[in-house]
Amino acid sequence: MTIVSCSHGKHIGSLIARKLKSKHSYLHVDKFPDNELSIRFDCKLKNQNVVLVQSFYGNISDCIIEIMFAAKTAHELEAKKVTLVAPYFPYLRQDKRFHKGEAVSLNIIAGLIDSYFDAVFVMDPHLHRKSRLENIFKIKSKKLTANPLMAEYIKKRIQNPVIIGPDEESYKWARDVAEIIGAESRILKKKRHSAYHVEVKLNKKIDLKNKNAVIVDDIVSTGNTILETAKILKKLRAKKIYCICVHGIFANDALNKLKKAGINVVSTNTIPNKVAKIDVSGEISGILK
Ligand code: R5P
């Protein structure tokens, strides 16, 4: 097996390869002055089981073009099998036509992955209306989760935690993590008005006296979901407020906004950032064995 770190997989690809004791190489990616991409492999591909590691953050469109070029090239150069490992996979929230005339982006992206890869492994995909990866991809797919690692992190460092899911969709992370720890949990209600404007409501009073509130969610993007949730938890006099998430996108300076609001934030390393303290490379290498 050869693990190839793509431009947005460098932070984790080598960790995965080390755990598997397999070959590792970096994909060369260059940009022409007109923004066209050029990619080049620096490793043997013929008869190899090639695993491309790419996390889709920042310039997601470039990330997609890059892996399409890489997968097609690997096949042309006679790789035996080409697998995509996506610590963070994008477009999963756009799984239906929310507005008239809108693209169902997820189906289009999934179709591309199906046509270029033999298998795809995704860390904590945001599955909603399509509840399984098998309903999204035609190729072999597998979902991985960081829940046990997030639970272990909380258990070791935070005393008297109450796990808070900020919205109905977060129960897959918040409730599962709470169950692993054996902690109390509560799922709040969220109304999303736009990509930037959310309203979070408490459905039933929670007793947070002498307790640490730990918000657990899969994605933190603008951070507004967490900021709105934290306002409620502050009013309830939580001792400290933590946020533990899988995918720390932290768009528009979200991390600083969260810190300024007094929230202690930690994420996994599916996306590199300053608070990526939970390493998921072991979970990923486990599935590739
Ligand atoms: C959505 O359902 C996700 O689980 C997150 O709650 C959401 O993506 C967070 O977005 P933001 O940080 O922009 O509020």
Side-chain angles (χ1 to χ4, degrees):
M1 182 186 297
T2 301
I3 307 288
V4 179
S5 290
C6 297
S7 65
H8 288 51
K10 287 178 187 161
H11 62 289
I12 193 166
S14 57
L15 300 178
I16 298 169
R18 206 175 305 147
K19 291 208 164 76
L20 287 167
K21 295 190 172 62
S22 70
K23 287 171 267 177
H24 175 257
S25 126
Y26 292 99
L27 187 73
H28 290 275
V29 184
D30 280 320
K31 218 171 207 187
F32 291 107
D34 59 1
N35 283 327
E36 288 181 359
L37 288 184
S38 135
I39 66 104
R40 182 171 51 82
F41 283 96
D42 198 12
C43 59
K44 184 180 167 214
L45 296 164
K46 194 169 177 173
N47 296 325
Q48 296 296 305
N49 186 355
V50 177
V51 176
L52 298 180
V53 181
Q54 178 81 308
S55 206
F56 299 82
Y57 61 91
N59 189 338
I60 298 172
S61 306
D62 273 3
C63 291
I64 294 169
I65 295 285
E66 183 186 317
I67 57 141
M68 282 163 51
F69 286 3
K72 178 77 178 157
T73 306
H75 279 302
E76 283 172 3
L77 297 177
E78 297 177 55
K80 200 158 63 183
K81 195 175 157 196
V82 186
T83 299
L84 172 65
V85 163
Y88 176 62
F89 192 87
Y91 285 109
L92 287 165
R93 288 169 291 178
Q94 295 181 40
D95 60 355
K96 74 168 199 178
R97 211 177 306 287
F98 292 95
H99 305 103
K100 206 176 156 200
E102 193 176 62
V104 184
S105 317
L106 168 58
N107 293 348
I108 301 168
I109 298 296
L112 283 175
I113 302 296
D114 278 339
S115 55
Y116 286 94
F117 288 89
D118 299 295
V120 57
F121 299 138
V122 183
M123 195 83 209
D124 279 303
H126 186 91
L127 298 174
H128 186 32
R129 281 156 286 266
K130 294 196 177 178
S131 57
R132 291 159 53 84
L133 282 184
E134 288 81 355
N135 299 334
I136 295 172
F137 299 107
K138 290 195 184 82
I139 54 171
K140 179 185 171 187
S141 59
K142 191 102 192 152
K143 156 188 149 179
L144 308 170
T145 181
N147 282 352
L149 297 174
M150 295 198 289
E152 191 188 321
Y153 185 93
I154 296 167
K155 203 170 180 179
K156 278 193 183 153
R157 296 167 180 84
I158 306 171
Q159 286 186 339
N160 285 333
V162 175
I163 309 299
I164 308 291
D167 57 35
E168 291 84 348
E169 290 176 27
S170 65
Y171 80 93
K172 285 171 243 164
W173 293 274
R175 195 153 290 154
D176 195 21
V177 165
E179 272 169 18
I180 299 172
I181 304 172
E184 192 190 333
S185 68
R186 184 65 64 81
I187 308 296
L188 309 189
K189 271 197 179 312
K190 179 170 90 180
K191 195 168 178 196
R192 185 172 281 287
H193 299 285
S194 72
Y196 295 94
H197 181 205
V198 291
E199 225 180 310
V200 179
K201 281 191 179 144
L202 185 68
N203 24 17
K204 213 170 111 198
K205 204 164 183 287
I206 325 169
D207 181 10
L208 291 179
K209 203 172 157 218
N210 294 324
K211 303 258 178 74
N212 287 308
V214 185
I215 310 167
V216 172
D217 206 354
D218 59 336
I219 301 170
V220 177
S221 180
T222 64
N224 288 337
T225 298
I226 306 300
L227 288 167
E228 290 304 306
T229 306
K231 280 183 194 164
I232 296 174
L233 302 174
K234 271 183 197 161
K235 279 188 197 150
L236 294 170
R237 301 196 174 282
K239 223 166 125 189
K240 274 190 178 171
I241 301 172
Y242 294 83
C243 165
I244 315 284
C245 69
V246 185
H247 309 297
I249 296 175
F250 304 130
N252 305 333
D253 206 25
L255 196 53
N256 277 331
K257 289 178 197 160
L258 294 166
K259 277 187 186 161
K260 274 188 193 150
I263 306 163
N264 302 281
V265 188
V266 168
S267 78
T268 76
N269 61 348
T270 58
I271 294 172
N273 64 63
K274 283 184 196 153
V275 295
K277 294 185 184 151
I278 302 172
D279 177 20
V280 297
S281 64
E283 307 292 306
I284 296 173
S285 60
I287 198 86
L288 292 171
K289 269 179 194 159

